[in-house]
Amino acid sequence: ASRRPAKRAPDTRPAGVKGKAEPNAKSSGETVQQMLIFTAQMQLVVPQKKFPVTIDALVDIAVAMGGHVARQDNVSVTVRVPSGRFRDAMREMGKMGQVGQKSIQAQDVTEEFHDLGVRLKSLRATRDRLQEFLKRANTIADVLRIETELSRLASQIDRIEGRMRYLAARAAYSTITVRLAAKPTRKIVVDPINPPKPPA
């Protein structure tokens, strides 16, 4: 009798999901979307009298790109813009003066976020099992013991969820800090002993 070909396991990944495979991930075909946190510092050299209008212009650029102000004073401003507009924001802000020092840092939190998700899934599964045990508990001692463990799990779950929300928010919005430096003004020095001769 002829043997039927083995059926392939169905692909359970959501449609359209793209990501970079974790280097140390198990060989399960799982892919993890890369998460990068961008932070940039830029120095702009402008005339000191233009500091206020330049700060306003930098804020306008961030807001126009869907961002917001995180901190602002007389000589600097820190904004957060959607990470998809990070390069555009840096380019437009650089047009507001002469760019001096500039640095960009990219922190890869892909692995941390993935590990937190795995731990969260495990803790939730344990919590669900304990809740089932609680329904069948026969003594007060069992109830108290299970409720204590549930409380401990709830604290761990809250901490992990908070950390994951923080990382997701940081990855979704990039941080740009711009500091202004005064452009030196040219001064004409007149020798009081030998003043320049007036034109004839």
Side-chain angles (χ1 to χ4, degrees), residues 45-98:
V45 181
V46 297
Q48 190 164 9
K49 64 181 180 179
K50 291 188 176 181
F51 276 19
V53 67
T54 303
I55 291 289
D56 290 342
L58 293 171
V59 172
D60 289 342
I61 291 172
V63 172
M65 294 190 178
H68 61 272
V69 177
R71 188 182 64 83
Q72 177 181 344
D73 56 35
N74 294 332
V75 296
S76 67
V77 62
T78 298
V79 299
R80 302 197 66 208
V81 298
S83 294
R85 305 299 305 278
F86 174 70
R87 292 183 182 276
D88 294 336
M90 290 289 290
R91 187 182 305 111
E92 292 302 315
M93 289 180 176
K95 297 177 182 179
M96 295 297 101
Q98 179 183 346

Side-chain angles (χ1 to χ4, degrees), residues 31-181:
T31 58
V32 180
Q33 184 177 4
Q34 189 175 29
M35 295 184 67
L36 297 175
I37 296 176
F38 289 100
T39 306
Q41 293 82 34
M42 180 191 300
Q43 181 191 62
L44 283 181
V45 181
V46 297
Q48 190 164 9
K49 64 181 180 179
K50 291 188 176 181
F51 276 19
V53 67
T54 303
I55 291 289
D56 290 342
L58 293 171
V59 172
D60 289 342
I61 291 172
V63 172
M65 294 190 178
H68 61 272
V69 177
R71 188 182 64 83
Q72 177 181 344
D73 56 35
N74 294 332
V75 296
S76 67
V77 62
T78 298
V79 299
R80 302 197 66 208
V81 298
S83 294
R85 305 299 305 278
F86 174 70
R87 292 183 182 276
D88 294 336
M90 290 289 290
R91 187 182 305 111
E92 292 302 315
M93 289 180 176
K95 297 177 182 179
M96 295 297 101
Q98 179 183 346
V99 178
Q101 297 176 346
K102 182 173 70 171
S103 65
I104 300 174
Q105 298 84 34
Q107 179 186 2
D108 191 340
V109 295
T110 308
E111 186 172 355
E112 180 184 359
F113 191 85
H114 175 258
D115 290 346
L116 288 171
V118 172
R119 288 176 55 195
L120 182 61
K121 183 178 180 179
S122 176
L123 289 172
R124 285 173 172 171
T126 303
R127 178 196 60 189
D128 293 343
R129 288 195 300 269
L130 286 176
Q131 288 174 342
E132 290 300 320
F133 292 155
L134 183 61
K135 295 177 182 179
R136 299 194 298 269
N138 296 321
T139 66
I140 295 178
D142 288 342
V143 170
L144 293 177
R145 185 169 59 252
I146 295 173
E147 286 183 342
T148 299
E149 184 65 15
L150 284 172
S151 178
R152 186 183 69 83
L153 286 174
S155 297
Q156 292 185 2
I157 289 172
D158 287 344
R159 285 196 297 270
I160 291 177
E161 288 177 339
R163 178 63 178 172
M164 292 182 73
R165 284 194 298 268
Y166 171 78
L167 292 176
R170 289 291 307 276
Y173 281 80
S174 300
T175 303
I176 303 173
T177 298
V178 181
R179 291 181 174 84
L180 303 183

